[in-house]
Amino acid sequence: MRLAGPSRWRLLGRQGTAWLRFLVGYTTLGVVLALAIVWLKPSLLGPLAPRVEVNQTQAQAEPASSPGSAASAPASYADAVARAAPAVVNIFTVKQVTERLTPPGLDTPLYRHFFGEPPTRERQRTETSLGSGVIVAEDGYVVTNHHVIDNAEQIQVLLADSRQRAATVVGRDPATDLAVLRIDAAELPVITFAEDGQARVGDVVLAIGNPFGVGQTVTQGIISATGRDQLGLSTFENFIQTDAAINPGNSGGALIDARGDLVGINTAIFSDSGGSQGIGFAIPAGIAQTVTADLIEHGRVVRGWLGVQAQRLTPALAESFGVAPDTEGVGVTDVFPGGPADRAGIQPGDVITRLGERAIRDVQDLLRAASRGAPGTELEVSGYRDGDRFSSRVTLGDRPEMAQPRQPGQR
């Protein structure tokens, strides 16, 4: 009995080892087969987590002439600046300003109550201001803003090569806030005008001018909007808006594109502080080119004139004029006696919806439609009178000088 135990346990040990080898071998084989099946047929495991793939397509090459093309966008705008900057000048003006001085302590309501208006004396003071301009002809013609040289008694132009010249006024157009100067110089560098109407929102632009009198400065931004009007800056408003930094002294300077062509004449900023807040306005190059040509040739801008005062229709105003509240057009509030509209039978209370080929939606539309026609041009004007449709033929007149400065509602 004592021998049986050990012999039995030895027998069982040999059988156990064989069994363990059998189990491990087939387990290993099963794992290998399972891994192979999963690798070859993963769908047998059931639905997997969704797979997200990010595909990056190759951008198609745009024409090299496209201003907004990523392929044509330069790493530097130095070439554009080098092309345009020599034609941008600094302008300094001097004028005499009359000041009325009141003795201290007398300019009070209490003094006026007992003694009337306090005594005053006048004092002449010399006032200087600065701005910028753009050379548009190699024989010395320079375009700038009218407000830069308004009432100036002396005008000095500082060229990019540091030469300084006295300037005379060739012509001015307050209606667009533009003016043309002439300096005694020849073979000057000239700006190149961009094609009219090619400016697009998002295009890169550079502003070149003389901010705060520090000297010629270049700032960069994009075109933020086009066709801005009803800003109260001038009679004819069709501004380019940009976020390129424009500050006092930039007025009259150049807004150029990435090729160095003139896109606009920097004119104004919207600011609470007096400095740039990213909202600047420029007169489009197409308008500047047309006005400049007229000022050089005629000394003034020749425009067609309708001779009415008008205001945009609101639903309430449309109802008072006897037309549907959703009518688009302008209501005639006054007619200049003897003017083109008066001769054509246009009456206060008429609603104008079309002039020539142009639909009229607001007062700026009416102004542009009339001013783009040469004096003597005959156009059809149509709209509503007492709620009924009417049309008439009008012969545009020559916009008189007295109508040039902006007056609210005058067209």
Side-chain angles (χ1 to χ4, degrees):
M1 291 292 293
R2 283 181 289 190
L3 295 175
S7 298
R8 183 172 176 233
W9 283 111
R10 282 196 295 270
L11 179 60
L12 290 174
R14 294 190 191 100
Q15 292 175 346
T17 300
W19 175 256
L20 181 61
R21 289 175 180 170
F22 173 81
L23 181 62
V24 170
Y26 277 92
T27 301
T28 302
L29 180 60
V31 171
V32 171
L33 290 174
L35 291 174
I37 291 171
V38 170
W39 184 72
L40 296 172
K41 199 78 171 177
S43 60
L44 294 177
L45 295 177
L48 300 175
R51 183 180 178 186
V52 179
E53 294 183 0
V54 178
N55 297 321
Q56 185 174 3
T57 58
Q58 295 295 325
Q60 296 181 353
E62 296 183 23
S65 61
S66 173
S69 169
S72 64
S76 169
Y77 298 102
D79 289 341
V81 173
R83 183 183 180 204
V88 181
V89 302
N90 298 343
I91 296 176
F92 304 91
T93 64
V94 177
K95 60 183 177 182
Q96 297 295 320
V97 178
T98 301
E99 289 184 322
R100 288 185 172 275
L101 302 178
T102 302
L106 301 186
D107 190 13
T108 64
L110 184 63
Y111 183 94
R112 287 189 176 87
H113 177 74
F114 288 103
F115 304 104
E117 289 296 321
T120 60
R121 65 182 180 88
E122 293 185 351
R123 182 180 68 177
Q124 294 291 321
R125 178 173 59 86
T126 299
E127 184 177 281
T128 61
S129 61
L130 54 89
S132 304
V134 179
I135 302 172
V136 295
E138 63 179 11
D139 54 349
Y141 288 102
V142 178
V143 64
T144 186
N145 285 135
H146 173 260
H147 73 259
V148 170
I149 55 91
D150 190 27
N151 296 323
E153 298 177 6
Q154 299 178 37
I155 304 172
Q156 293 289 325
V157 172
L158 179 65
L159 302 176
D161 60 8
S162 299
R163 287 183 294 168
Q164 187 166 324
R165 294 288 187 273
T168 56
V169 178
V170 174
R172 60 185 79 207
D173 184 41
T176 56
D177 195 17
L178 289 170
V180 174
L181 310 177
R182 182 77 184 273
I183 60 175
D184 185 13
E187 298 182 358
L188 295 172
V190 176
I191 200 80
T192 301
F193 284 80
E195 291 186 31
D196 189 22
Q198 295 300 306
R200 304 180 304 168
V201 175
D203 283 352
V204 172
V205 287
L206 308 169
I208 308 177
N210 180 29
F212 298 109
V214 299
Q216 191 175 89
T217 302
V218 181
T219 55
Q220 180 260 340
I222 63 169
I223 292 177
S224 306
T226 58
R228 290 293 194 213
D229 57 13
Q230 300 182 28
L231 301 176
L233 297 175
S234 59
T235 301
F236 295 89
E237 295 188 335
N238 184 25
F239 292 105
I240 294 171
Q241 181 181 326
T242 179
D243 66 346
I246 297 175
N247 289 288
N250 274 109
S251 290
L255 187 71
I256 65 171
D257 60 22
R259 292 181 295 269
D261 295 335
L262 185 71
V263 173
I265 300 295
N266 299 320
T267 299
I269 58 174
F270 180 87
S271 175
D272 293 326
S273 64
S276 174
Q277 291 184 315
I279 304 179
F281 302 98
I283 300 167
I287 293 177
Q289 192 170 20
T290 301
V291 170
T292 298
D294 269 5
L295 291 178
I296 292 175
E297 184 176 354
H298 307 291
R300 68 184 187 92
V301 180
V302 179
R303 295 187 176 96
W305 183 55
L306 187 60
V308 300
Q309 286 183 323
Q311 62 184 102
R312 183 175 184 172
L313 287 182
T314 63
L317 192 60
E319 184 178 356
S320 69
F321 277 81
V323 296
D326 59 349
T327 301
E328 289 187 332
V330 296
V332 177
T333 58
D334 197 8
V335 177
F336 285 80
D342 187 28
R343 293 193 299 268
I346 306 299
Q347 305 171 10
D350 288 348
V351 174
I352 298 176
T353 59
R354 181 171 291 274
L355 180 60
E357 298 298 321
R358 189 182 185 102
I360 305 301
R361 296 181 178 85
D362 54 37
V363 177
Q364 281 291 323
D365 282 339
L366 182 64
L367 178 61
R368 292 173 191 146
S371 63
R372 287 176 180 173
T377 303
E378 187 177 73
L379 297 175
E380 181 177 3
V381 56
S382 58
Y384 296 92
R385 177 176 295 159
D386 298 326
D388 298 324
R389 296 288 305 184
F390 88 97
S391 65
S392 180
R393 304 293 295 184
V394 60
T395 301
L396 297 177
D398 187 355
R399 186 176 177 84
E401 287 293 329
M402 64 88 178
Q404 291 281 3
R406 186 180 68 87
Q407 298 178 9
Q410 181 173 315
R411 298 296 176 260

